[in-house]
Amino acid sequence: MSTPVISAREADVLELLGEHLSNAEIAARLFISVRTVESHVSSLLRKLEVPDRRALSRHAPGPTRAEPTRAEQARPAPALPAPLTAFVGRTRERGELAAAVTARRLVTAVGLGGVGKTRLALAVAADVAGDFADGVCFVDLVPVTDPGRVGAAVAAAMGVGEQPGRGIDDALVAALADRQVLLVLDNCEQVRDGVAPFLERLLVACPGIRVLATSRARLMVPFEWVFPVPPLSRVGGGGSEAVALFLERAAAVGRAPAPAERDRIAALCERLDGMALAIELAAARWATLGLDGLAAGLGDQLRILAGGPRADGRHRSVRAVLDWSHDLLEPQDRALLRRVSAFVAPFTVEAAAEVAAPVAGFAPLEAAAVTDGLGRLAEQSLLAVTPSDTGTRYQALETLRQYGTERLADAGELDDVRSRHLAWCLAGAAALQEGGGSDWRARFDAVAEDLRAALTWAAGRPEQRADACRLALSMAELAFTRNLLGEAQQRYEQAALLASGADAAAALRQAAGVAGCRRLGDDMYRLHRAAAEAARRAGDGAGAARDLAAAATAAYRFSSTFSSRVPSVDEVTGLLAAARELTGDDDSAAEAALALAEAAVVADAFGAVQGAPDNTAPDTVACAERAVELARRAGDPVARSAALDALSGAQSWAGESFAAASAARARIDILTSAPSTPARTHELIDALAMAAATAVGTGELPAARRWGGQLAGQPQLAEVGDHATSWLLVADAFAGHADAVLTSSVRFLDAWEQAGGQRSFSLGPAAASVAMIHGLRGDHEARATWLTITDRAGSKEDHDHGHGAVFDAMVLLHHGDAQAALERIAPEPEQVWKWVCWVWLHWYAALRAEAAVLAGHPDARARVAAARALVAGNPVATALVDRAEALLGGDLPQLLATASAFETAGCRYQWARTLLLAGGTHAAAGASALAGLGLAPMAVRQPHLWRP
């Protein structure tokens, strides 16, 4: 077998797949679009002949290594941080902890700060990485200040994005359900209340996941196996592990100690109780103080420290070294060290100068002195230096951050420094809101944890409430732009709690818009009702009316996205009644919202789950038209889009397919120039889906592919490829673009499985369209698999009477079984009106006419005539009816004319099929065209009795 040729860009994508990045993350890293990444991934799947992304990641190259062994080819490289210094000692603990990790589901390495838990965990993870087919993932929980965001931190590290209709924790569990991964959670103690329930749920649902946690205290869960991490061994005197660490670190910062000094070093390490951090800090001073200076300084500190009843010797030793290291600093460097402890993430010199230099009422630091001071602190191992694309950054280890915070409090500077940090975060958030560029995502990620920490601090202080509200709103907007939809909703709701009156209502409305993008109908309903209550408390009766009407509309318009109880008819009509009472005659926005709610609830324009079974189409259209007119007068583009959606649905009920398509497209035109808000984004996603769907219904396949492509490229759908590609799949399937369907089906299936196999009005048809393509290719086993997916992804009634009947009939006609096709679409359109009126009506009627002709049905001519009247204006359906009539009358010229019509309409499959039906010299061209489309030969069983 020849080696596949992989382009340079495909090689870049493959390498990042090996890091388990999502498509969106790869796109950001390579500065290309998500759709381009998808194209490269699909190409790699074909070239390397592997079934999914997981298998693809195993082909990712490692960094400059020899040819991989067979075992290495089966596993991705572990995703672990690369320590900058060598790991020393711990031979016994390393082996015992590795054995525990491979035998237990959850192992917690417990020990005091500075004992060396993290380095031991990293070494063990590297040792056992080969035992986990999907590698190792390291998550540092130091930046996480909210226990509820533990799952979000793990998801970010794993490259798992949010899924519509579920929170990030649910999406993570679904993504890891069948994976074999070692998850290393570092520094669990500060969010222990969040770690324990998260791990309990994760380990129950994901049997292939094992967890190695580090913490200062056990997690207190029943399935936890605790591994106490002792200090470094001092056994062996000058040859001990503790001395080896000192020697290695001392040599790294200057001259190595002489062999004769090892016994004195052993005594020093004994006094430090073998604590790794204490030894490293002492070794960092070796070159300037020597052993005498180290011993003298440490001895003074131990005499000063009294130690409380809860502070054991080890803890006192670490604090002693920290106190001693701190007191050796110049006063300016002491001030700088404690002030930069406000930063959670790596920070720049400029940031340190802004937060740490001028502190009200205390000794100021000059900006130039900050630069020199950071360098000196790094030289003393009190700050870590982190190179980045934007320059050098500094970071204090968590133990030193906690120590610095204590020193801030002792110096009386805590509130002022934290306030300056908050102001820096507010300015940074504002700059991110105003700016863009290819590096926007990286700039946000660099400060996000600081923004979260500042918000957590400010939200708990009444005097900072206004700034906390501002930051929460900024964080909500930034998180939405960053596609962190769950956090965006959380921050808008947090802002509502910090705000008052009308501002609280406005934040809740924004949160409802985000919930819409997440396909959380329950939350949309809840948040609009909460906004109504906030508006009512603020004395805004009209605003409350709008929100109550919006809640009622959401209950019907998005009833299929409710994960729990769908609001009852009585409950929703009660909201409508309350909205009517609050709506004033002079408030056009409230009147428009109420009119839309009445179209949704009273007239059931959206065909809701709880809607009435009988729908009077003319009344529904009239009600929706009134909503559109009132929304136009109100001047709200989002309200106009929603009203047009109601009109499009009503027109579908009335069988007015072209009017429905026109209304759907008008929504996009209106929303394109509208201000970007979560509600507008939600409307645009919905509008693109409806435009693509209705274009399929009217046979405008190029337009359907255009809208479907735009839908697939929406950033908010980057991690939900099933919803993103749904209508593009349908349009490509009808057109006969088999390769495109098979390529998109990979993204669709991967996303659908990760989301837990959700149901939707669009997912069922998408899966059925893939099944149809496999049927046209003659791969009946694959078709059966996708039909099973169809049953799980959509409505049974839709498949039985709507899209399923259309797609099945096309497959049966392709294979020459006209009688079976006729039976599959036997009911009159009026009998299955609810299931075909929206998208499938023209296809259903036209295929029913063709099947009748090819099967020799006595009513074939009548069916052709009836279909012709129904599909007039639909280029593909009209050509289907014309072809059926040509076949019925044996009119070869008319038949060939339909081939040209199909080609003009962008339906290459039906063009090739027509040539085959024409027979004679045309059949060879048709067969060649089908082969070019990647489809199986077509069975033609009808005699060709063409007129001369």
Side-chain angles (χ1 to χ4, degrees), residues 243 364 593 692 768 807 816:
V243 171
F807 289 133

Short mmCIF file of all heavy atoms in Angstrom, two decimals, residues 243 364 593 692 768 807 816:
data_model
loop_
_atom_site.label_atom_id
_atom_site.label_comp_id
_atom_site.label_asym_id
_atom_site.label_seq_id
_atom_site.Cartn_x
_atom_site.Cartn_y
_atom_site.Cartn_z
N VAL A 243 19.77 15.67 50.01
CA VAL A 243 21.04 16.30 49.63
C VAL A 243 21.20 16.34 48.12
O VAL A 243 21.69 17.32 47.55
CB VAL A 243 22.23 15.55 50.29
CG1 VAL A 243 23.56 16.05 49.73
CG2 VAL A 243 22.18 15.73 51.80
N PRO A 364 5.68 53.96 47.55
CA PRO A 364 5.49 53.66 46.12
C PRO A 364 6.72 52.97 45.54
O PRO A 364 7.83 53.08 46.06
CB PRO A 364 5.28 55.04 45.51
CG PRO A 364 6.06 55.96 46.41
CD PRO A 364 5.95 55.40 47.79
N ALA A 593 -44.43 42.06 21.41
CA ALA A 593 -44.09 40.83 22.14
C ALA A 593 -45.34 40.03 22.45
O ALA A 593 -45.36 38.79 22.34
CB ALA A 593 -43.34 41.18 23.42
N ALA A 692 -31.99 27.57 5.31
CA ALA A 692 -31.49 26.37 4.62
C ALA A 692 -32.59 25.34 4.47
O ALA A 692 -32.75 24.74 3.39
CB ALA A 692 -30.32 25.79 5.40
N ALA A 768 -30.92 10.83 8.39
CA ALA A 768 -31.62 10.11 7.32
C ALA A 768 -31.01 10.42 5.96
O ALA A 768 -30.97 9.56 5.06
CB ALA A 768 -33.10 10.47 7.33
N PHE A 807 -36.72 10.11 1.67
CA PHE A 807 -35.39 9.53 1.46
C PHE A 807 -35.47 8.05 1.10
O PHE A 807 -34.73 7.56 0.24
CB PHE A 807 -34.52 9.73 2.70
CG PHE A 807 -34.10 11.16 2.93
CD1 PHE A 807 -34.22 11.75 4.18
CD2 PHE A 807 -33.59 11.93 1.90
CE1 PHE A 807 -33.84 13.05 4.40
CE2 PHE A 807 -33.21 13.24 2.10
CZ PHE A 807 -33.33 13.81 3.35
N GLY A 816 -34.53 0.47 -8.49
CA GLY A 816 -35.51 -0.11 -9.40
C GLY A 816 -36.73 -0.72 -8.77
O GLY A 816 -37.51 -1.39 -9.45
#
